[in-house]
Amino acid sequence: MNSLILVPWARMVLVTHLLTLNLPAFSFVLQPSIQHSRATRPSQMHLAMEDLGAPSYLEERLQEYGFHGRLLTLSDQDLPVLAECQLKGEAQLVSITKIISKKDDSGKPQGSRLEVERCTSQDEEGPTIVDLGQITTIWSAKGTANDLSSANRMTIPAGKLDRTLDKLYRTRVGRARGSTGGVRRKQLTKKQLPKLVEFAPAEEQASVDTVLRQVLKTGAGFARLVDSEVTREALFPSTTENEPSTKQQAVQQRIIASTALAKDAKSGGRFKRFGCLPVSHHDGVLTVINGGWVVLDQGVRATSEGRKFAERAGSTTTMADDRIITRLECLAMGGDDQNSWGELQVDVRESLRGMNLPMTPEGAKQALIQIGHWTESSSATKKQRIDPWPKTVLEAAEWYCKMDEKRRDYLIRGEMIPGDEGRVDLTKLPCICMDASSTTFRDDAIGIRPRAPTGRRVTKASKWEILLHIADVSDLYAPEANVNRKGKPAEYLETLREAAHSRGTSRYDLPLGPLHLLPPVVLHALALDTNTVDLTNQGPLRLERGINRCVTLWVYIDEKTGKLLDSGLERTLISSPLALSYNAATALLDGTLPKEDATLDKAKAIIAVAERNLCRWSDFQRTKSKAAQAKEERLSGREMLGREMNGNSGFERTRSHRIVDSALDLYGFALNGLLFRAEAPVPRVLGNGMDRVGRVASAPLRRYIDGVAQRQALAALCEYGGKPLTRKQVMYESKSATAAINAVSNIKASKRDNGSTNTLQVLQSLSMYIKDNDGPVPAMSTGKGNEVVILGIGATASCRGIQGTLGPGKEILVEVQSIDERSGQVSVVSR
């Protein structure tokens, strides 16, 4: 045999931490395909078939059940050859220099050992004797320790290794041990093992049993196994640009891949080492199953990650650590079910157990403080004794608030600071904020402007230009715009951006309070400075003068058809908007607001013009877009459901709600079109595209991805903040934002009462209704699993007999099975 043939059996894609290695150079031969066992040996081998003899019983069984793909033959003529080896608990690259046969007293082969030399050792240690099981993967590259020479530095971008490994894990873990994975129909099962061992020759039975039990763990046809070559191809996809310029570079890339797998296994991650297994050894030829790394079951992985998280205690951060931290934060704020520790996520449970902390919200808080992710605050109130941010983020937040306060003072005096030149001054145009009465940070406002002063010629357009203002967050997301803020200020801005990236999205549904995207003091600085007025006071309204930095979309709509005629984006300055609640704005439009004031009359006129144009546009969209039609059906269903539940559903849809919804939908629609024409990709959460009327850049104080989208819009349409993001960069941001949202998507957030919104009066009304009416009763799906609401009564119930999940507002007939007035639970069955 002139060369050892070893081939990758799968292709993949993957990612993680910045890894820089000084990599050695080798003299080697890289072959394109794996060498099979004697049962399927290629004809180019220098040993004739009759010289090797018939395949062993074990080889035949491996061939029969699809495990021959990693069978490898090795003789002294193939040596030296490179391999990954486990030495003193560490993964190292070695050169196999000799095969040593172990024999029993009768002279029969009893096992195999290998003589190896370390390729990366800096001392003068000689050869080391190792068992075959210590070898992880045998490479196809020939070389020795003496072949090493200085090598170029190779780097992997930060985050790439971890993301790639995670994708590789997810594509493998789904291939269960009992499935064929599409490899072959005939598969090996545990029930077959006793018979297979029984029919084996007596001297082979022990090895047959051992090997077959081990390969079962790798899935059908090794579907759950990866090796460094598969990982290398995922890290360095084979393209014209990435094709290794030399064989030495390919080996260096594989060293990075093998190191990444070893580090992942050691940190309690996704993979576990699977050493080479002996198959046969005679006539100087060793046949083995080439090893690699097998994926851990998800439950085992979560347990391991939680344990390692507790051991590291925040010293390093992996993707798993980020996920555990997010879940700990939700638990600390009362999320998830506290009735039973067994209902917590496995990784969270193991983390708290490893840190000797109770599996409660208080335990989660202490865990976050111990790792430095939350900070104990000496000035905090008794209700909340900690700040849910690291000290570095709080320090950056304090600096930003002081900086923004000074900037607002400059703007009020009419002075521009570096970076704000070129903004369009709209401070003389009034605008309106419409939000829930409980809203703390307002980031959007609506205004109008006559078309004539703008000089824009738009055929068939309304005489009014609709202005949609969104708070400007470019300080955090457009680093190239902050060229005048170097040194510590630049570090502060990067710290805040990383904090938003880590959290991904705000959560307002946690029992003990919200988890904001950024510290509240930063959100207050970024939010619009508004005029909140007391509508119960009979005196004249007094508005304070304030200046806000915004990203404003102007649009023209055909008032007859509702078609969008023209649009554009500007960096603007606006005055402090008048802040109205949804109910107050609706009452103002309906003429039922008791207070009268000239300011309110002007606000009513602005809202009325906006309503006329925006509603026309929404009607036009529903005639052209199936996604818009589907959204309207969903909202109509929820609106009808809210009426049936007497307002207990928490969903309202007043006139002002419709105006704001249409405005934000239009903002996303128009901005998406502008970016498309500019050939700039749009950052968005995966699965939230225009086919679902997904909004773009409309909530930068609540969603990280919206801040990124605003930065993209400013770069592509206003030439501000640097070059537009590439498609690759946008995909990375979109995946990161999606992962952050998915990390908490299954965490329950409701307060732990009886779990029902039914009052005693509602239940008694339902009981009386059933007594007076025989047969099924009409009900409507809430869109939450199998929950329905009884029409005319407003009682919610759990319904059996529903296939899948019904959309909100879907009417069905049900039969009431039970009513529990103590717990408030109602059970029904679909008819």
Side-chain angles (χ1 to χ4, degrees), residues 1 3 5-6 33-49 52 71 73:
M1 240 181 315
S3 61
I5 306 175
L6 179 61
S33 60
I34 194 164
Q35 177 177 322
H36 299 293
S37 71
R38 288 171 295 187
T40 56
R41 186 168 291 120
S43 59
Q44 69 264 30
M45 290 186 60
H46 80 286
L47 291 177
M49 189 71 71
L52 294 174
L71 282 176
T73 57

Side-chain angles (χ1 to χ4, degrees), residues 682-695:
V682 182
R684 64 172 86 247
V685 174
L686 301 181
N688 192 35
M690 291 306 296
D691 58 335
R692 292 184 57 84
V693 199
R695 293 176 179 172

